[in-house]
């Protein structure tokens, strides 16, 4: 602990010492020693420490007791250096020489004997917290990155994590068999039968703390903890078996690790874990939090209008029908483009979908004017598709990898649409409730910055992202998603309660058009039809009565007790006679 304090003090002194343009590197007086323990844990963590590297410094990391350890099965040591927030350089040499160093946040180099590594912090005024880890592997363990052709160091046991607008690409440099098995030509690079497994864990949303960062990395450093705390990604591209892709979630940290197994010689090893927040939390937090104020204000306004729609049913069919039919046409266009089997540009996809939406809106407007019953069925069908895709998205993050899933989804959506069309009049729930609930769901999702809409995003991304079927998306919801879902449920319950109490004499029908007078197809009047047990006015309207008063008597004798609307109605008729 005293050594750690001295390193911290030296780091902060770097702020004030050497004010010139060219500063000499600060060097710690004592190297960081990684001693191979006597009680060796093979293929596991044998030393772990967290220290602060001073600003603009070179730190020596010394491996000791490797040659003296009495373990004939000990093969090599993997020294890992994981930096928080800033990049560092890990080198075999006292100076940075081409082919002898790696630069980044999650680094590692192999050592076969006692010796020194050098960690360079080239940030001129910023001390950096790091974790230094010693992994020991046996003689049969494959060498991670032993057939590397990507990084400057010949053996590079690190992952290449690349961010794209839609996904995270994790490339694993090919491994080689252990040194003692390389003499056989069948074990050369590209010929050895090595198996790669990719594991990952997700951190809490918007948790950018140092402690969570190091804890998440450590949980994937050893094989036992990787398979217990991590989740395996079994998706990969047929052309890139060592490439794994993940759905990008800005603001939510993810840690990845690759396990390479040599089933012939019964050995395994792990690469240095990689990490990303899918954004730049220490430079631009707006991308991490989704702080797009104009869009959130639009979403808030949409949520308020949708809540009024649920309560009052104020939107005419000339608004609801074009919106739903337009969305239905967009879905059909997506399926058509998907079956073409080619990836088109984002601009072409956008233009196609906008055209489909406009055509669908025009068709919906005509249906609302001349065939409102058909419009009702089609809107119910679109609602059914939204319901089924959302439910499947909560179960499987990669729903479009299921064979013939589109066919199943359309069939289930058709069934749900028919059920809604037949049962809504019986359940006394108008389509205003369905339409308003859909808008509330997606409006609340945008206000909270949640990802409840990611099943819908899959439909669009699979058109513009090459080989999107191999992109793994975790369906697990976090606390923000849970808060958004809870807010949606609460808002909908409150709106339904207000609707049951909203009792004007006349409310516009949810499928009443401004220019249509054909009352055989449109109910001229309706009341708030989401009812509660004691909703007298709705019961009267449902029973087609002439608005009689309700008389309810509770007595303790032999008098009749009238509780149901039917009993009340009969009693009132007897009184009139």
């Amino acid at each position: 602990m005293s050594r750690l304090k001295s390193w911290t003090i030296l780091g902060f002194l770097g702020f004030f010492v050497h004010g010139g343009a060219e500063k000499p590197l600060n060097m710690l007086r004592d190297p960081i020693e990684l001693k191979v323990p006597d009680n060796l844990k093979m293929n596991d963590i044998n030393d772990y420490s967290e220290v602060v590297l001073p600003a603009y410094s070179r730190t020596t990391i010394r491996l000791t007791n490797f040659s003296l350890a009495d373990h004939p099965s000990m093969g090599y040591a993997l020294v890992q250096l994981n930096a928080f927030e800033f990049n560092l350089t890990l080198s075999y040499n006292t100076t940075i020489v081409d082919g002898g160093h790696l630069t980044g946040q999650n680094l590692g180099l192999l050592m076969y004997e006692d010796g020194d590594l050098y960690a360079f912090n080239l940030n001129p005024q910023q001390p950096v917290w790091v974790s230094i880890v010693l992994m020991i592997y046996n003689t049969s363990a494959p060498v991670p990155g032993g057939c590397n052709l990507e990084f400057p160091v010949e053996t590079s046991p690190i992952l290449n994590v690349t961010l794209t607008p839609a996904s995270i690409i994790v490339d694993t440099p090919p491994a080689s068999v252990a040194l003692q098995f390389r003499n056989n030509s069948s074990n050369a690079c590209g010929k050895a039968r090595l198996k790669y497994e990719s594991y990952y864990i997700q951190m809490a949303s918007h948790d950018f703390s140092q402690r969570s960062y190091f804890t998440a990395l450590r949980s994937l450093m050893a094989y036992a903890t990787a398979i217990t705390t991590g989740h395996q990604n079994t998706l990969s591209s047929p052309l890139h078996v060592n490439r794994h892709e993940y759905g990008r979630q800005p603001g939510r940290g993810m840690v990845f690790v690759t396990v390479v197994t040599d089933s012939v010689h019964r050995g395994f090893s792990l690469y240095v874990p990689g990490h990303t927040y899918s954004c730049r939390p220490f430079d631009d937090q707006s991308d991490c939090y989704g702080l797009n104020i104009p869009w959130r204000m639009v979403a808030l306004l949409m949520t308020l209008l949708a809540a009024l729609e649920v309560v009052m049913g104020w939107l005419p069919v000339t608004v609801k029908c074009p919106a739903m039919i337009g969305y239905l046409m967009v879905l059909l266009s997506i399926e058509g483009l998907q079956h073409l089997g080619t990836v088109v540009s984002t601009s072409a996809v956008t233009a196609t979908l906008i055209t489909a939406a406009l055509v669908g809106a025009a068709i919906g407007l005509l249906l609302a004017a001349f065939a409102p019953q058909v419009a009702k069925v089609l809107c119910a069908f679109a609602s059914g598709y939204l319901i089924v895709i959302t439910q499947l998205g909560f179960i499987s993050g990669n729903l479009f990898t299921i064979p013939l899933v589109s066919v199943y989804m359309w069939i289930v959506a058709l069934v749900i649409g028919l059920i809604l069309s037949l049962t809504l009049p019986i359940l006394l729930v108008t389509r205003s409730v369905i339409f308003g609930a859909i808008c509330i769901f997606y409006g609340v999702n945008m206000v909270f910055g949640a990802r409840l809409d990611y099943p819908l995003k899959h439909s669009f991304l699979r058109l513009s992202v090459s080989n999107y079927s191999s992109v793994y998306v975790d369906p697990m919801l976090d606390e923000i998603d849970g808060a958004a879902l809870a807010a949606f449920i609460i808002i909908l319950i409150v709106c339904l309660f207000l609707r049951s109490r909203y009792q004007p004499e006349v409310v516009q029908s949810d499928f009443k058009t401004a220019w249509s007078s054909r009352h055989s197809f449109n109910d001229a009047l309706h009341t708030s039809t989401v009812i509660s047990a004691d909703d007298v006015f709705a019961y009267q309207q449902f029973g087609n009565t002439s608005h009689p008063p309700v008389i309810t008597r509770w007595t303790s004798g032999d008098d009749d007790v009238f509780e149901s609307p039917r009993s009340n109605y009969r009693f009132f008729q007897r009184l009139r006679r």
Side-chain angles (χ1 to χ4, degrees), residues 4 16 54-55 59 88 173 190 258 262 310 322 347 483 508 540 572:
L4 178 59
F16 307 102
T59 303
L88 297 177
T258 300
D262 185 353
V310 174
S347 59
Q508 182 187 12
Q540 293 167 353
F572 181 72

Side-chain angles (χ1 to χ4, degrees), residues 231-282:
H231 307 277
Q232 186 175 2
N233 178 7
T234 57
L235 299 178
S236 62
S237 172
L239 300 178
H240 303 89
V241 293
N242 291 348
R243 169 174 292 182
H244 296 83
E245 298 186 51
Y246 297 83
R248 185 172 178 177
Q249 302 179 37
R252 191 171 190 179
M254 295 187 71
V255 180
F256 319 94
V257 73
T258 300
V259 180
V260 54
T261 305
D262 185 353
S263 58
V264 176
H265 305 104
R266 298 183 179 181
F268 69 89
S269 61
L270 283 78
Y271 287 74
V272 178
H275 172 271
T276 182
Y277 289 115
S278 297
C279 61
R280 297 178 299 168
F282 308 106

